[in-house]
Amino acid sequence: MADGRVAGGDDAAARPSNIFDVARLAGVSHQTVSRVLNDLPNVRPATRARVEQAIAQLRYSPSPAARALVTRRTRTIGLVTPGVSDYGPTSIAMNFTFAARAARYNVETVSSLDADVASVREAVEGLLRQRVDAIVLIVVDIAVLEAVRALDLSIPVVAAASTARRSPLIVSIDQYRGARSAVRHLAELGHERILHLAGSTQASDAIERVRGWRDELAAHRLAVVEPTHGDWSAASGYRVGATLDIAPGSAIFVANDHMSIGLLSALRERGLRVPEDISVVGFDDVPEAGYLYPALTTVRQDFAALGELIMQKVLIAVEEPESATEDTPLPTHLIVRQSTSAPR
């Protein structure tokens, strides 16, 4: 039976080996074969060796469907991503996929073209038909976040989302305290007028950064000038920078680095020097941030750690469903470069 076929008639000879054939040849139950295939504990070394020898002899390769039939799990996670190419969501998706593969799970990714409840529900329903073990959602819109909270599914749902409300199955980076650290840096340099170029009004990240900006200004008893909103792009940063009411000695906290790039260009065209006239702090620490002129002071997010944390939540929810986990947002880190200085 070295050719992977099973003896016992023309039909048997024509079909590939299955898990029950492996079990018969090894003299064990099919559950034991399943434990060996999934590298689970509590299998004696001699038994494991016998099963592996039978697998090799039969050239058995379990299909995802066959494995799901035996284990009731497909070792596949559904990932719903927003239909955007922004640095943050893209980095979260990439690093989560790396973490899932390291844990020997497959990832089935679906992009929700519209950041609305109906599109996300449609994406989730499609993944459920594929019998995924869990669903991960990368949330950029607050309406979607509320819809996620209302989902009543038979499998775990883990959301990567920024929110002041806590939940064991929500994973996040602390946008609020990251924003406060940026504003605190500017206030401690001596800036008394700290403007904010915010992201989309419906974006959960942007909402948390605005909240942190306001609270840190209040802590330093500084006046609040209502934020101007962009759409996360360099083009929107440029448009705002070209018309923003700003005077030398001011500072600007920008909600992401790409808008900062456009803003720096517009300020330079207006003859305003950074940091001599205007200090600028971004958010994200994109790979280009250190190579801008001047190099951008920004708030770094650890997307690799976030991807690993999401996968840890999934593993606990799938494999240890009775276990409770805490919702502790990951910290950010202020990276000080040349775009900020004391007002002159």
Side-chain angles (χ1 to χ4, degrees), residues 175 178-183 185-186 194-200 205-206 208-210 213 227-241 244 246 250-267 274 278-286 292 296-301 334 339-340:
Q175 310 296 321
R180 292 199 64 158
S181 71
V183 178
H185 168 66
L186 294 169
I194 303 174
L195 307 180
H196 184 34
L197 171 49
S200 167
D205 284 356
E208 284 301 286
R209 292 170 198 172
V210 168
W213 167 75
T228 304
H229 290 271
D231 61 10
W232 303 116
S233 70
S236 70
Y238 178 85
R239 288 194 297 270
V240 170
L244 189 65
I246 190 167
S250 301
I252 309 174
F253 166 47
V254 187
N256 78 335
D257 289 349
H258 283 109
M259 289 195 295
S260 298
I261 291 171
L263 177 74
L264 290 173
S265 179
L267 293 177
V274 175
I278 309 292
S279 284
V280 176
V281 179
F283 208 107
D284 284 339
D285 195 28
V286 300
L292 300 175
L296 184 64
T297 295
T298 185
V299 178
R300 176 179 294 167
Q301 304 193 71
L334 180 69
S339 67
T340 53

Side-chain angles (χ1 to χ4, degrees), residues 26 191 220 327 330:
H191 291 284
H220 290 273
D327 173 23
L330 294 173

Side-chain angles (χ1 to χ4, degrees), residues 55-322:
I55 290 171
Q57 183 175 336
L58 294 176
R59 296 181 183 177
Y60 170 64
S61 178
S63 68
R67 181 168 292 187
L69 182 63
V70 175
T71 66
R72 299 184 183 274
R73 285 170 41 200
T74 62
R75 295 193 73 84
T76 301
I77 302 166
L79 173 63
V80 182
T81 64
V84 296
S85 58
D86 294 342
Y87 179 74
T90 302
S91 298
I92 295 170
M94 179 182 69
N95 284 284
F96 166 71
T97 301
F98 291 160
R101 288 176 179 169
R104 298 174 61 186
Y105 274 75
N106 298 315
V107 177
E108 188 70 34
T109 303
V110 178
S111 291
S112 176
L113 297 180
D114 299 308
D116 60 50
V117 175
S119 295
V120 171
R121 282 183 175 165
E122 182 179 352
V124 168
E125 289 170 0
L127 290 169
L128 291 174
R129 288 193 290 270
Q130 299 182 51
R131 297 184 61 194
V132 296
D133 295 332
I135 291 177
V136 171
L137 295 104
I138 298 175
V139 178
V140 297
D141 186 278
I142 54 173
V144 172
L145 178 59
E146 293 307 312
V148 169
R149 292 180 186 277
L151 289 175
D152 183 17
L153 303 179
S154 59
I155 61 173
V157 178
V158 177
S162 299
T163 173
R165 296 167 61 186
R166 296 288 174 249
S167 167
L169 294 182
I170 288 183
V171 185
S172 64
I173 295 176
D174 200 333
Q175 310 296 321
Y176 171 77
R177 286 181 175 79
R180 292 199 64 158
S181 71
V183 178
R184 186 181 310 118
H185 168 66
L186 294 169
E188 289 175 349
L189 286 173
H191 291 284
E192 296 182 351
R193 189 169 189 262
I194 303 174
L195 307 180
H196 184 34
L197 171 49
S200 167
T201 57
Q202 295 301 305
S204 56
D205 284 356
I207 291 169
E208 284 301 286
R209 292 170 198 172
V210 168
R211 190 168 71 91
W213 167 75
R214 288 185 185 277
D215 286 357
E216 192 63 27
L217 288 180
H220 290 273
R221 298 183 180 180
L222 297 177
V224 174
V225 177
E226 284 305 303
T228 304
H229 290 271
D231 61 10
W232 303 116
S233 70
S236 70
Y238 178 85
R239 288 194 297 270
V240 170
T243 59
L244 189 65
D245 181 15
I246 190 167
S250 301
I252 309 174
F253 166 47
V254 187
N256 78 335
D257 289 349
H258 283 109
M259 289 195 295
S260 298
I261 291 171
L263 177 74
L264 290 173
S265 179
L267 293 177
R268 186 164 51 249
E269 289 183 6
R270 291 174 61 177
L272 292 169
R273 300 168 299 167
V274 175
E276 291 86 354
D277 299 325
I278 309 292
S279 284
V280 176
V281 179
F283 208 107
D284 284 339
D285 195 28
V286 300
E288 302 85 357
Y291 301 96
L292 300 175
Y293 183 76
L296 184 64
T297 295
T298 185
V299 178
R300 176 179 294 167
Q301 304 193 71
D302 191 342
F303 293 114
L306 183 64
E308 293 173 1
L309 182 58
I310 295 170
M311 191 59 208
Q312 288 174 14
K313 293 277 189 179
V314 170
L315 287 173
I316 292 171
V318 170
E319 300 180 0
E320 304 174 43
E322 301 304 318

